[in-house]
Amino acid sequence: MGGRSADKVKFTSYDDLFGSAEVVAAEEDRSIRVPLGELHSFKNHPFHVLDDEKMMDTVRSIRQYGVLVPEIVRQDGGGGYESVAGYRRKRGSELAGCRDMPVIVRKMTDDEATIVMVDSNIQREDILPSEKAWVYRMNMEALSHQGVKGEDYTANLVGEAAGDCARTVQRYIRLTYLRRELLIYVDQGKIVLVAAEKISFLSDEEQGWVLQMIQDNQSTVSKSQAEELREESSAGRLTEEQVTDILSRKTVSTSVTISAKRIRSYFPQDFTKKQIEEIIFRLLDSWKEKENQTGQLR
């Protein structure tokens, strides 16, 4: 950060750090055309590029108008370029039969490139839970490397672009500790997020038992079952037989629906959804801590 003390720097948004990935070009940026064969994927990027109907729309647009927004890239050590933002445009160019495409070459560190990659994708409407989980984790780590201090503050900064509060960001990051097969079930909607978060605290072996039960019985895991699994695991009592017993039980729905109008009545009119969520989770966490201290939590 230019040698400045991180304690004296106040970050308020991604643009304050590196500018918009799609619009703002720094003075040292270069705009050129690059053969598609010289463009390589960003290391460990979590986004899926599908040849679906939306991609076919992109292909038709490229054939008619060309690539209107250049891809953001940086030079790699092999003489080519590493794609940072614009994977869909590159794939669309390939399917459209193009040999090259316009790019903006930007000098970026690994952490800067990670943040630009996340910022250019996080607001997609079709982003999968697994994609959001990994980009949140990658962005948290990148911002921490940049000197942003405080987990809650960093999580708030990470979730800002997508309108998620710190607690939501932390919940998503927990999904990165799931086995790959379980995370696929989350993407498919076979395991709800709240249950998946609880399962993520189980060991790899314990998650394997859960996965086997789901596969053998074509079933899923409810929130209450996931809570019991985590409780038993934390106490060191969880066995394969217990997993079978817990997931074999029929559960009673404990879902609660609260009127949005009623919730709104407790907050000032200018409060955003993010601010309301933060206060609600803060109050719930405070209540839970108080109940734990008095030994009355049921």
Side-chain angles (χ1 to χ4, degrees):
M1 296 301 299
R4 292 178 294 175
S5 169
D7 294 330
K8 297 180 181 179
V9 180
K10 183 179 180 181
F11 302 107
T12 57
S13 70
Y14 296 118
D15 289 356
D16 289 339
L17 288 169
F18 308 112
S20 169
E22 298 292 356
V23 179
V24 178
E27 291 182 1
E28 66 273 17
D29 288 349
R30 293 185 294 119
S31 182
I32 60 176
R33 296 193 72 89
V34 173
L36 298 183
E38 294 182 14
L39 294 172
H40 313 299
S41 296
F42 187 79
K43 182 181 179 182
N44 296 327
H45 86 82
F47 297 106
H48 305 285
V49 179
L50 305 176
D51 293 344
D52 53 13
E53 185 56 38
K54 288 185 178 180
M55 177 58 73
M56 295 306 106
D57 289 339
T58 299
V59 172
R60 285 189 284 269
S61 174
I62 290 174
R63 284 175 176 162
Q64 186 172 1
Y65 304 108
V67 176
L68 301 178
V69 180
E71 185 175 41
I72 306 294
V73 304
R74 63 174 182 167
Q75 286 187 297
D76 61 28
Y81 298 88
E82 185 177 47
S83 299
V84 176
Y87 311 108
R88 290 180 57 82
R89 292 191 288 279
K90 179 195 172 185
R91 178 56 179 161
S93 296
E94 291 174 343
L95 294 176
C98 301
R99 295 183 178 181
D100 58 19
M101 68 178 291
V103 303
I104 292 176
V105 184
R106 178 174 297 179
K107 291 182 179 180
M108 290 177 279
T109 65
D110 289 346
D111 289 334
E112 290 169 344
T114 295
I115 293 172
V116 170
M117 176 196 68
V118 171
D119 196 21
S120 63
N121 284 279
I122 196 63
Q123 296 187 46
R124 278 174 31 209
E125 294 182 358
D126 59 346
I127 188 169
L128 295 170
S130 64
E131 294 175 330
K132 183 178 279 195
W134 277 107
V135 297
Y136 276 168
R137 178 171 171 177
M138 293 170 70
N139 216 12
M140 281 280 287
E141 293 171 351
L143 287 173
S144 296
H145 296 160
Q146 292 292 327
V148 181
K149 295 183 178 180
E151 183 177 346
D152 286 343
Y153 176 74
T154 308
N156 267 322
L157 186 59
V158 167
E160 183 178 42
D164 287 333
C165 67
R167 182 66 181 120
T168 300
V169 169
Q170 291 160 349
R171 288 174 185 271
Y172 269 104
I173 289 176
R174 280 304 318 172
L175 301 184
T176 65
Y177 296 92
L178 285 171
R179 288 178 64 138
R180 184 181 62 84
E181 299 92 339
L182 290 172
L183 192 51
I184 290 174
Y185 284 146
V186 177
D187 282 343
Q188 295 173 342
K190 295 180 179 179
I191 301 178
V192 296
L193 290 175
V194 65
E197 181 199 5
K198 306 294 182 186
I199 297 171
S200 73
F201 288 95
L202 274 57
S203 70
D204 185 72
E205 181 181 27
E206 292 167 343
Q207 290 187 32
W209 298 336
V210 173
L211 176 63
Q212 194 62 53
M213 274 294 294
I214 293 174
Q215 292 175 336
D216 289 348
N217 298 283
Q218 296 296 303
S219 60
T220 186
V221 182
S222 68
K223 176 177 177 289
S224 60
Q225 289 172 327
E227 288 174 340
E228 187 173 357
L229 289 170
R230 181 183 176 185
E231 182 179 336
E232 292 299 306
S233 176
S234 298
R237 298 190 298 258
L238 192 62
T239 64
E240 187 172 5
E241 290 72 22
Q242 273 189 306
V243 170
T244 300
D245 178 58
I246 292 170
L247 297 187
S248 296
R249 300 180 203 153
K250 291 185 177 180
T251 59
V252 178
S253 175
T254 57
S255 61
V256 177
T257 301
I258 303 176
S259 166
K261 183 177 180 181
R262 183 176 179 184
I263 292 177
R264 271 286 178 187
S265 68
Y266 289 93
F267 298 91
Q269 289 297 315
D270 60 345
F271 265 42
T272 65
K273 177 184 176 184
K274 176 182 174 182
Q275 289 174 311
I276 292 174
E277 286 182 349
E278 287 177 342
I279 291 174
I280 291 174
F281 280 122
R282 195 183 309 142
L283 290 172
L284 288 172
D285 288 338
S286 176
W287 172 80
K288 185 175 181 180
E289 182 178 353
K290 181 180 179 181
E291 290 293 297
N292 278 329
Q293 290 174 349
T294 59
Q296 296 177 355
L297 184 62
R298 293 184 292 275

